[in-house]
Amino acid sequence: MKKNMTQKRLFYILFTAIICSCAEQKAPLPNIVLIMGDDIGYSDIGAYGGEIETPNINRLADGGLKFTTFYNMAKCNPTRSTMLTGLYSGGEGAVHIGNLTKQAGYTNIMSGKEHFDSWVPEYCKAENVFDHSFYFWATTEYFLPPSGAFERPFYLEGKELSADEIEHEKSPMYKTDFITDYALKWLDETFQKEDPFFLYLPYHAAHYPLQARPEDIEKYRGKYLKGWDVLRQERFDRMEEMGVFPQGAKLSPPENNLNKSRGPFLEDYTDYYAWDSLSAEKKDSLDLEMAVFAAIIDRMDQNIGRVLKKLEDNGKLENTIIMYLNDNGSCPFYTNKIPNKEPGPADSYWSLRTNWAMLGNTPFRQHKQSGLEGGSHTPFIAFWPGKIAPNTITEQVGHVVDIAPTFLDLLNIQYPDSIQGHATLPLHGSSLLPVFMGEQRREPEFFISGMDKFRMFRSGDYKIVRMNGGEWELYNMATDPSELVNLAANMPEKVNELAMSYASSPVASGNDLP
């Protein structure tokens, strides 16, 4: 009897120890996928009111969380610099988010566009951070040009590739497709290991030049003949039904591109004109222009679908957090290097104009580079099965500067004290994880966006912004998120208060003093 009691006691102790051991085991770290679109307007994707077919991005939005107010830095290079380091500005001592995932034992993969401000250290470049990297700098064509060489070359883990060395599954080779080809190949390799992975996919879509596969263009041909005026109202109505812009937002009236720094200044590209004033021939040409732009986004979404399928087929999707955003608002600048060749094929080089960019940035004002909401406001979607509640929307404000602190929370690690022999620079943002979990986070003291002459500084409900280096304008974002009523003349004390705060911020120069 005593022997049986002893055996039972030993069994109980052993059983309890096993249970406690299992309870103490940490949950597996999530895989992380960060996807970025380029020069895409706030309302261009279907999940935020657009008519462009984006079923895969929509799937992420329906299964996750959508922000109604999320800021980028209004241009390619500052957005990437700030997002990947958590700094508005910095230098030696900046820490790339890939350094954080590497510290936590992740395999790092990058495929797509690299573009940084000059302050970003060399050790933050792709080949120094990622285990596998395929990238190009700033901008280059989608199709291989007739010359046989891309405008800017591609690099594979630091080694420059000739066009005929680029691996691609489908011919003719198309940039969005082969960017994804490399990512999927490396994911397959990663799946053979037990390590979690970080996949960074900064697509170039839908940055100029407007080039797309013919079958994608055909899907949209004729859909834009109703014109930007009608389409903009249709998008606004859908957005209102979906609840994807801040409460109280109104559709801003049409206006010209106010940017006086980015030429050439051709009225056909810079100025607003009513669609009904145009000839049938002009409407057809403009329909093609927007159809190609839509096709570029459609192809990006198709490739996001390839990534989702790869994750799903390999049982990885359930423990993967996926974030999607754009680097700035739609781009309205004339960059037509081959003006006599309409957009679409490999021998064309065309860009979008102000009126189509205005459609993309519905319901906001202005465009890329500007701190006004049309330039600095991006969709932001966070998808994490079983963790982030599906089909939810938040009006809490976020910014790309918050992504690095969010990574720290996801990885459950401490920010390093030093990097490459330099003391690390303190992060400027704060974690979005509480928002992901349905909680209220303490909003950062301020948000910054826009290029220097087009800077914005927001603190609480109020925001100052300037155009072309002019006087500060003031807007109450709680009551006027479309920035229709400039309060600067009536509230000079508030302007001065915010201007003084901005002058002591990480990006201000001596010219910014009030």
Side-chain angles (χ1 to χ4, degrees):
M1 182 74 172
K2 189 173 182 181
K3 182 178 179 181
N4 288 339
M5 289 294 292
T6 301
Q7 287 176 335
K8 287 181 180 179
R9 187 174 298 161
L10 287 172
F11 174 79
Y12 175 76
I13 292 171
L14 180 61
F15 178 76
T16 303
I18 292 171
I19 294 297
C20 291
S21 175
C22 291
E24 288 173 2
Q25 286 182 5
K26 292 182 179 179
L29 291 170
N31 306 307
I32 304 173
V33 178
L34 179 59
I35 306 172
M36 176 175 280
D38 197 325
D39 285 10
I40 296 176
Y42 183 68
S43 72
D44 278 324
I45 62 174
Y48 279 76
E51 69 292 321
I52 301 171
E53 296 179 24
T54 56
N56 296 294
I57 297 175
N58 296 357
R59 176 186 175 186
L60 298 176
D62 292 341
L65 173 68
K66 291 182 285 190
F67 281 69
T68 63
T69 305
F70 201 94
Y71 291 111
N72 48 45
M73 291 298 288
K75 190 175 180 294
C76 317
N77 39 308
T79 290
R80 285 163 174 77
S81 303
T82 293
M83 180 181 73
L84 295 175
T85 66
L87 304 172
Y88 285 113
S89 185
E92 301 292 349
V95 178
H96 192 291
I97 56 177
N99 296 129
L100 302 178
T101 51
K102 182 57 64 178
Q103 179 183 331
Y106 281 59
T107 297
N108 289 341
I109 300 169
M110 173 192 171
S111 190
K113 171 176 173 174
E114 183 164 73
H115 198 187
F116 288 130
D117 285 339
S118 59
W119 59 262
V120 176
E122 190 69 23
Y123 62 77
C124 288
K125 301 295 176 66
E127 67 269 24
N128 299 320
V129 174
F130 292 89
D131 298 287
H132 295 295
S133 59
F134 173 75
Y135 58 94
F136 64 96
W137 182 262
T139 188
T140 198
E141 298 91 345
Y142 291 86
F143 289 116
L144 179 63
S147 67
F150 286 97
E151 179 180 15
R152 286 192 175 92
F154 288 84
Y155 295 85
L156 179 62
E157 291 160 12
K159 176 183 176 293
E160 182 176 334
L161 298 180
S162 61
D164 59 5
E165 292 178 299
I166 296 173
E167 297 178 21
H168 57 283
E169 293 185 9
K170 182 175 180 178
S171 295
M173 64 194 306
Y174 187 75
K175 180 170 56 184
T176 308
D177 291 335
F178 61 71
I179 281 173
T180 309
D181 293 342
Y182 276 97
L184 296 183
K185 180 182 78 168
W186 290 327
L187 281 177
D188 277 331
E189 292 180 16
T190 303
F191 293 162
Q192 306 306 310
K193 303 181 291 185
E194 294 185 2
D195 296 341
F197 62 84
F198 166 41
L199 170 61
Y200 176 44
L201 266 177
Y203 286 112
H204 197 217
H207 194 289
Y208 65 79
L210 298 181
Q211 298 176 345
R213 293 199 183 277
E215 63 269 29
D216 294 334
I217 298 171
E218 187 60 32
K219 289 174 63 175
Y220 296 95
R221 201 69 167 97
K223 289 189 176 182
Y224 294 96
L225 287 173
K226 61 176 68 176
W228 41 68
D229 297 311
V230 171
L231 285 161
R232 197 161 176 259
Q233 184 63 54
E234 289 180 354
R235 286 194 183 186
F236 180 79
D237 292 342
R238 280 194 298 272
M239 296 171 82
E240 194 166 38
E241 290 177 12
M242 297 166 76
V244 292
F245 52 57
Q247 288 187 8
K250 298 177 181 178
L251 182 61
S252 61
E255 65 181 349
N256 297 344
N257 181 358
L258 303 179
N259 188 314
K260 302 303 181 186
S261 296
R262 178 75 178 263
F265 303 107
L266 307 179
E267 290 183 4
D268 194 34
Y269 264 69
T270 61
D271 291 2
Y272 167 77
Y273 38 91
W275 182 264
D276 288 344
S277 68
L278 305 174
S279 67
E281 181 181 14
K282 181 68 170 179
K283 288 178 180 178
D284 183 70
S285 175
L286 292 170
D287 171 75
L288 173 62
E289 179 178 302
M290 187 61 193
V292 177
F293 181 81
I296 298 173
I297 295 174
D298 189 303
R299 176 61 54 169
M300 178 185 72
D301 185 81
Q302 292 176 49
N303 279 279
I304 292 172
R306 294 173 65 199
V307 174
L308 296 181
K309 186 176 188 304
K310 176 70 71 174
L311 297 174
E312 202 161 28
D313 289 350
N314 287 271
K316 301 294 184 181
L317 190 61
E318 289 304 306
N319 190 39
T320 299
I321 180 170
I322 303 173
M323 291 169 273
Y324 173 87
L325 73 160
N326 301 327
D327 65 351
N328 46 250
S330 195
C331 177
F333 306 120
Y334 181 88
T335 318
N336 294 0
K337 296 184 179 180
I338 311 174
N340 296 324
K341 180 70 177 181
E342 289 198 313
D347 60 347
S348 68
Y349 201 110
W350 199 286
S351 59
L352 208 64
R353 68 197 62 223
T354 290
N355 289 312
W356 286 133
M358 182 175 63
L359 170 66
N361 297 331
T362 302
F364 303 120
R365 295 178 53 208
Q366 291 301 299
H367 319 282
K368 176 179 179 176
Q369 295 193 1
S370 175
L372 288 166
E373 298 291 291
S376 60
H377 204 120
T378 175
F380 186 84
I381 297 167
F383 170 90
W384 193 4
K387 296 290 197 301
I388 293 177
N391 198 28
T392 50
I393 296 175
T394 181
E395 293 194 345
Q396 294 186 62
V397 183
H399 192 291
V400 293
V401 78
D402 298 323
I403 289 178
T406 304
F407 268 54
L408 280 175
D409 264 4
L410 291 171
L411 303 173
N412 195 26
I413 60 173
Q414 295 296 314
Y415 190 60
D417 294 326
S418 64
I419 186 167
Q420 297 292 313
H422 303 280
T424 54
L425 301 174
L427 296 172
H428 293 151
S430 65
S431 175
L432 297 165
L433 193 58
V435 188
F436 292 174
M437 297 296 101
E439 303 166 2
Q440 194 74 25
R441 77 160 178 163
R442 181 178 179 180
E443 186 173 295
E445 184 181 347
F446 59 82
F447 301 100
I448 300 173
S449 186
M451 299 296 289
D452 180 53
K453 292 182 180 179
F454 306 92
R455 190 74 75 202
M456 80 83 155
F457 180 85
R458 175 172 175 169
S459 182
D461 290 340
Y462 286 94
K463 167 183 169 181
I464 52 172
V465 61
R466 62 184 174 208
M467 291 295 293
N468 302 297
E471 296 294 320
W472 290 114
E473 300 172 11
L474 175 69
Y475 297 97
N476 184 330
M477 303 307 292
T479 60
D480 182 25
S482 302
E483 299 169 307
L484 304 180
V485 181
N486 179 8
L487 302 172
N490 296 329
M491 302 178 66
E493 299 86 358
K494 191 66 178 178
V495 173
N496 188 62
E497 173 194 330
L498 293 177
M500 291 296 291
S501 295
Y502 169 68
S504 61
S505 75
V507 300
S509 67
N511 297 327
D512 297 312
L513 293 170

